[in-house]
Amino acid sequence: MYLKSRFLLLALAIAAPAAAQVTVQEYAVPRGHGIHDVWPSPEPGGPVWFSAQGSGHLGILDPKSGKVDFVALGPRSSPHGVIGGPDGAPWLTDGGQNAIVRVDPKTRVVKAWKLPTESYANLNTATFDARGMHWFTGQSGIYGRLDPKSGEMKVFDAPRGRGPYGIHATPDGAVYYASLAGSYVGRIDPQSGKTEVIEPPTRRQGARRVWSDSKGNVWVAEWNSGNLSRYEPATAKWAAWRAPGDDPHVYAVYVDESDKVWMSEWSAQAMLRFDPATQKFESFRSSSRSANVRQIHGRRGEVWTPESAADKLVVYRYK
């Protein structure tokens, strides 16, 4: 199915006068699929994968033509997250199947690894570490590790119970996750699987998603406090910046190749970009009154967002 895409040129609402413009392109997705997360493959102009949580599919967008295809993931499927693996394939955390799912990018054959428990994990997000191990979170109070080569899977109980949400690996392979209900950032020991709890300075901040910059610093989206915070593992120091607006709620965070930090802010329904060098925010909007961007990812010169409330994928292109 070929769908029209919409082009916009947005002015910066909160920015330095010399800031460069950002072009925005929007791709409509058929209604009823419940877009949740997005992940563009690394090659320029390559496919963009997204999780269709409402219909149990992997969505595949060709950004050149606007064509959208869907791959059914299995009975009762309800995928939350999608990431690209070191093998070039999309991997999904499928809460409906209580499984980690891989789709072959060429044959589109689906393979699933069931969790070694019948308990509902409420699978959320995943990442690969430097050794190629697949780590994932479950909001019911677990996190886990899958070895793609052997198929061995281990599941661990999270400190403070329910809450594990966003997860990401630093360039040196360390794995951090955010606990929304627990209001902490966890660092996983890759050997033992145990979590070291790292306390942000703001109490009950609602750490939701995390992302590493090129230096290994961990950026945290704080839902309850409205802060964007940064943890420096080398010094154990924290810094925090409150997002613009009267009552901000920061949901997702992503760091681009120039170490600019992008985040979605739900009170204003805006995308924000933060420059750590100037400590200034820029604000961008799509054409949607309600976007509800739950996750962000990108590739060189592009940042992609899934607008779950508007059935759209949106790309912000910059120089």
Side-chain angles (χ1 to χ4, degrees):
M1 166 173 201
Y2 289 83
L3 303 169
K4 292 182 179 179
S5 60
R6 178 173 180 175
F7 290 86
L8 299 173
L9 184 64
L10 300 186
L12 305 182
I14 306 172
Q21 290 180 320
V22 173
T23 60
V24 181
Q25 186 174 2
E26 302 180 347
Y27 296 88
V29 173
R31 294 185 178 277
H33 286 282
I35 300 171
H36 204 286
D37 284 14
V38 68
W39 195 280
S41 59
E43 65 270 18
V48 178
W49 302 307
F50 60 93
S51 55
Q53 189 177 48
S55 64
H57 291 85
L58 167 71
I60 306 171
L61 167 71
D62 178 354
K64 297 176 182 177
S65 66
K67 182 182 180 182
V68 179
D69 290 327
F70 292 94
V71 178
L73 300 178
R76 298 180 300 280
S77 174
S78 181
H80 186 289
V82 59
I83 63 171
D87 58 355
W91 293 71
L92 301 103
T93 40
D94 194 327
Q97 298 193 80
N98 225 30
I100 304 302
V101 176
R102 176 188 184 274
V103 178
D104 188 284
K106 295 182 179 179
T107 66
R108 300 191 177 179
V109 170
V110 177
K111 182 176 181 179
W113 291 263
K114 298 282 188 179
L115 267 64
T117 174
E118 295 298 322
S119 300
Y120 175 60
N122 195 4
L123 288 170
N124 194 283
T125 314
T127 191
F128 283 91
D129 68 15
R131 300 179 301 156
M133 301 295 286
H134 182 280
W135 293 89
F136 56 88
T137 58
Q139 280 198 86
S140 295
I142 64 97
Y143 59 95
R145 180 183 67 204
L146 169 67
D147 183 340
K149 293 182 179 179
S150 68
E152 180 189 27
M153 182 184 289
K154 292 185 178 180
V155 174
F156 307 90
D157 292 327
R160 303 181 188 174
R162 68 184 186 89
Y165 206 94
I167 187 169
H168 196 240
T170 63
D172 64 0
V175 176
Y176 292 83
Y177 70 85
S179 177
L180 176 60
S183 280
Y184 68 85
V185 172
R187 186 184 189 279
I188 301 173
D189 182 297
Q191 300 302 323
S192 68
K194 293 182 179 180
T195 290
E196 173 193 358
V197 173
I198 302 169
E199 301 276 6
T202 303
R203 296 186 62 198
R204 302 186 181 89
Q205 78 296 132
R208 190 152 208 161
R209 288 193 183 267
V210 292
W211 207 271
S212 171
D213 63 22
S214 65
K215 302 177 183 66
N217 299 319
V218 180
W219 292 84
V220 185
E222 298 182 1
W223 175 253
N224 295 335
S225 70
N227 288 340
L228 169 69
S229 63
R230 181 185 65 201
Y231 173 69
E232 299 180 4
T235 62
K237 291 182 179 179
W238 282 88
W241 298 266
R242 185 172 173 83
D246 296 331
D247 185 28
H249 288 78
V250 182
Y251 198 121
V253 62
Y254 166 76
V255 183
D256 67 23
E257 71 278 0
S258 62
D259 278 345
K260 302 292 193 304
V261 186
W262 296 73
M263 68 218 75
S264 59
E265 198 284 290
W266 274 42
S267 295
Q269 288 292 305
M271 282 288 294
L272 303 175
R273 181 170 64 177
F274 179 75
D275 186 342
T278 64
Q279 299 191 20
K280 292 183 178 180
F281 288 94
E282 300 167 288
S283 181
F284 309 90
R285 288 178 181 269
S286 79
S287 65
S288 309
R289 293 184 61 183
S290 294
N292 291 358
V293 173
R294 303 172 188 273
Q295 180 259 355
I296 310 166
H297 194 250
R299 53 193 173 197
R300 181 169 294 276
E302 298 179 351
V303 164
W304 286 82
T305 67
E307 295 195 355
S308 60
D311 296 307
K312 291 191 303 189
L313 298 177
V314 179
V315 57
Y316 299 77
R317 294 190 175 96
Y318 54 92
K319 293 183 179 180

